Amino acid sequence: MSYVPGQPVTAVVQRVEIHKLRQGENLILGFSIGGGIDQDPSQNPFSEDKTDKGIYVTRVSEGGPAEIAGLQIGDKIMQVNGWDMTMVTHDQARKRLTKRSEEVVRLLVTRQSLQKAVQQSMLS
Amino acid sequence: MRGSRLTIWDYFSHSSFQPPFLWPKRSTASTVPSLAHYFAQDTELQRKLDHEIRMREGACKLLAACSQREQALEATKSLLVCNSRILNYMGELQRRKEAQVLKKTGRRPSDSGPPTERSPCRGQICISDLRIPLMWKDTEYFKNKGDLHRWAVFLLLQIGEHIQDTEMILVDRTLTDISFQNNVLFAEAGPDFELRLELYGACVEEEGALAGAPKRLATKLSSSLGRSSGRRVRASLETAGGSGSSPILLPTPAVGGPRYHLLAHTTLTLAAVQDGFRTHDLTLATPEESPAWLPLYGSMCCRLVAQPLCMTQPTASGTLRVQQAGEPRDWVQVHGVLKGTNLFCYRQPEDTDTGDEPLFTIAINKETQVRAGELDQAASWPFTLSISNRYGEEEVTHTLQAESRGALQSWMEALWQLFFDMSQWKQCCDEIMKIETPAPRKPPQVLAKQGSLYHEMAIEPLDDIAAVTDILAQREGARLETPPPWLAVFTDQPALPGPCSPASVAPAPARIHSLPWGRPRTFSLDAVPSDHSPGASRLVAPLPLQRSPRSRGLCSKGPPHTWLQSPV
């Protein structure tokens, strides 16, 4: 999932539709994110390329809406409801996921196992 | 400052060369302050004001004498900072005078409130690792193809009446962020502080085609008059009192000199304080048509920490007796010191200095319960203080005995003050946030150290290798530990201290006397902006200096140290 700055990014993505769960006053999705263009990418345990400043899923709570929808730990989030997540700050990413007016978020995520699966199916 | 918020630019354009008594018509105060007001009271503030006025005069003279654009930029920046400080101090003086007058003339209705109000302790605020990302577009390349547009930017930071500035940085499209290496410290701030940040920028190149006709004419006139007569014209303008003369010769700070525009601003408060790197939004202030417009991404990253005094200084100390578990008669005499969120109990008062470990420590935080009591039985020290903390399921109570009612009162008072401070300073009282003391600020280096040797000097034909090695030695060696020699021209000036010193131009002038072959004539305006001096204050985590200054791509020069995770 490495990229060259200035060139368009190509990735195999999976659509994940998460229905937020209402907990009191809040709508939660049940996972945690890490990363952002204002963060230190070398501390990211999930990324293949240690200069990748994208948003990654660092934790998925058991039984939460994200796990039910099929989100996995280590996924890189590319888009949320059409908004790009590859070039945002950490706070912007969090805000885009936690908009109170949206009950459903549709994510495009990519993970290494996806890439490998597609490559293998192309070879065979 | 209350009243109309004059930005520094407003002041600048209206009153560049007027002596301070003839204050501009627009003023933050309702009346034009007269000379008499200055000598009223507040000698400390007065002293600071006088100092700034002197600095301002020096900066004006310097600006008039500048021939290089970079020198003019530095001098203009110093002038801007002095002006804003002067405005600030004047406003503060006026406010204090008004408060005094009101007190004398009679009681205000609000005076009949409670006599003593608890006020939170002061603290130190430090902002560091300032980084503003830029967003260059393709159009930037097409607009300039070939020549490198450069901007000079600096930040002005203000809390209350204290204004500080960062160094001036040259920015061009090879930079992905504007990174300031400064560590700006404000002492004596309250928890309700408002830290206002203003980013100012100016074009390094002359704003030729964009200026209006009168200015162009004025530039032509003054340059055609020649330097000395131009200076005389300017001096006569000064004495005449600026604004009365015809508009065609009304100068901007220096005729044809650089103009700083406010590019963006933001205000940070206690909520933004965190022991880590955070991003904040900037309010952009210049439209795209303005000559100094920079493609700012719209946010700013920084590390804003606060150290309230209650966390770093002991707030109370004295002798106490601590009851051992359960037994009211079995006690131990200790010397207690209340500091931060702990009550340290030392065996003897001397132990605090020797650095010995305390006998034990009682934690005091927002959830701690404190009760004063008095023992009925004929105990030698009947006045008790019990401190309870809840650890998970269990509640731990320590009972302490004070030697007298007065001592108990003062302990309770200190504890109440601590609780109040903790409620005001909020997250700053969870743990002491580290503040690095900044290394003594070196004069900012306007021209890059890394530049082609060929660009940086013009060698006379009869020079020898000694001249070249001399220049090389200067480039590598000590940078401007002595003030530049042209400063000696203004012999009536007191020595200009560090922060406002109209600093460097280039390495060469520092040893201008000793060079037999004369002053190099050309300075490269094409120099690549360098990575800042490795000797400058290194902050919480060292920045990787092995990166080449030309590193393109998204890896910025000042990488953040955190990788935050947030639940959503």
Side-chain angles (χ1 to χ4, degrees), chain B residues 280-540:
Chain B
H280 306 276
D281 291 320
L282 280 178
T283 316
L284 302 177
T286 354
E288 202 160 331
E289 303 77 42
S290 164
W293 180 81
L294 257 184
L296 299 170
Y297 190 79
S299 49
M300 179 194 72
C301 314
C302 67
R303 181 174 172 264
L304 180 64
V305 296
Q307 260 186 7
L309 280 176
C310 63
M311 296 294 289
T312 52
Q313 308 275 334
T315 43
S317 62
T319 320
L320 291 168
R321 286 189 188 175
V322 186
Q323 277 177 351
Q324 301 293 70
E327 292 290 316
R329 303 268 177 88
D330 190 8
W331 43 257
V332 153
Q333 183 151 323
V334 296
H335 177 80
V337 175
L338 181 63
K339 188 165 115 166
T341 51
N342 291 305
L343 177 60
F344 300 102
C345 298
Y346 294 93
R347 200 185 300 272
Q348 286 154 42
E350 296 75 45
D351 284 350
T352 49
D353 299 321
T354 56
D356 279 352
E357 289 295 309
L359 271 180
F360 53 88
T361 308
I362 304 176
I364 309 220
N365 53 42
K366 294 178 251 228
E367 278 94 56
T368 309
Q369 306 258 347
V370 170
R371 275 186 304 277
E374 203 167 320
L375 293 174
D376 286 334
Q377 62 257 54
S380 48
W381 286 20
F383 304 103
T384 61
L385 181 65
S386 55
I387 301 174
S388 317
N389 278 309
R390 185 163 275 281
Y391 296 106
E393 287 300 315
E394 48 170 300
E395 186 165 323
V396 178
T397 305
H398 296 268
T399 312
L400 308 145
Q401 293 171 345
E403 35 185 355
S404 65
R405 191 187 296 277
L408 181 63
Q409 285 283 73
S410 62
W411 277 103
M412 289 304 287
E413 172 60 32
L415 284 165
W416 290 135
Q417 179 67 37
L418 181 64
F419 285 134
F420 182 71
D421 290 339
M422 289 201 288
S423 73
Q424 294 293 304
W425 282 102
K426 301 192 182 120
Q427 73 269 26
C428 309
C429 290
D430 293 335
E431 253 188 42
I432 299 186
M433 299 186 185
K434 269 188 75 161
I435 291 184
E436 302 273 337
T437 45
R441 240 172 73 169
K442 295 199 172 172
Q445 279 131 44
V446 174
L447 287 191
K449 285 177 290 218
Q450 283 132 342
S452 156
L453 190 59
Y454 297 109
H455 282 159
E456 263 195 19
M457 61 195 178
I459 309 183
E460 305 284 14
L462 26 110
D463 279 337
D464 53 334
I465 197 69
V468 180
T469 50
D470 233 348
I471 292 186
L472 274 174
Q474 280 171 30
R475 268 156 52 101
E476 306 312 307
R479 306 211 150 270
L480 285 183
E481 271 140 3
T482 59
W486 33 258
L487 219 46
V489 169
F490 312 118
T491 46
D492 52 327
Q493 282 299 108
L496 299 173
C500 270
S501 74
S504 66
V505 177
R511 299 214 257 139
I512 206 171
H513 310 301
S514 53
L515 297 167
W517 41 271
R519 177 166 28 149
R521 282 188 308 268
T522 62
F523 292 111
S524 166
L525 290 181
D526 224 8
V528 174
S530 72
D531 211 356
H532 293 283
S533 149
S537 63
R538 279 296 138 221
L539 308 173
V540 185

